[in-house]
Amino acid sequence: MILLFDIGNTHTHLGLAGRKRVVKQINILTSKWFAGGAEKLVLKFIGRAVLEGAVLCSVVPRATPLVCAMVRRRWHFDCLQLTPKTLRGVGIDYPRPNTIGPDRLANAVAVARHYGAPRRRR
């Protein structure tokens, strides 16, 4: 299973994904990452699932290292963070791609997956 984190300003959306789809999801308050309690909620959510990896999309830069540290401490692997450098399946033709929010990148991937996207010209 892959543990998915979508960290927003108000809520962190957690998902557990198998090979083809998300099989389970919940929302927790993002503030729990700063006030304590988020790790316990994540562990309860995962239950007995065996994790193979973790993927993170965050618009809350303060929360990102906290989540990554928890994943490293608990499961001994790094989170794959959605950035313009890790993005696959969507070309970016923008002067400063690092200023594009990861939530927008995730939306672009979803649209390309569901509806297709034009091929990049070389």
Side-chain angles (χ1 to χ4, degrees):
M1 293 291 219
I2 305 294
L3 179 57
L4 309 170
F5 295 93
D6 178 3
I7 305 170
N9 289 310
T10 305
H11 291 97
T12 296
H13 309 286
L14 299 173
L16 271 179
R19 295 257 178 234
K20 297 204 179 233
R21 65 183 184 92
V22 175
V23 296
K24 183 176 171 182
Q25 64 184 33
I26 64 163
N27 300 327
I28 65 173
L29 293 173
T30 297
S31 60
K32 295 276 187 190
W33 293 108
F34 310 112
E39 185 169 339
K40 186 176 181 179
L41 294 171
V42 171
L43 294 174
K44 182 177 178 183
F45 170 69
I46 292 169
R48 296 178 184 249
V50 177
L51 297 183
E52 300 172 35
V55 180
L56 178 138
C57 173
S58 176
V59 297
V60 185
R62 277 184 7 172
T64 302
L66 300 174
V67 175
C68 291
M70 180 205 61
V71 168
R72 164 81 28 219
R73 185 175 61 256
R74 286 283 178 180
W75 296 286
H76 309 290
F77 48 74
D78 294 323
C79 282
L80 173 64
Q81 294 184 48
L82 182 59
T83 69
K85 290 183 180 181
T86 61
L87 184 69
R88 299 291 177 263
V90 176
I92 299 175
D93 184 13
Y94 190 73
R96 296 182 332 194
N98 288 335
T99 63
I100 302 171
D103 53 337
R104 306 281 181 175
L105 297 174
N107 291 340
V109 171
V111 167
R113 172 88 164 97
H114 289 287
Y115 302 105
R119 293 197 179 269
R120 287 181 73 177
R121 288 188 246 166
R122 292 191 174 239

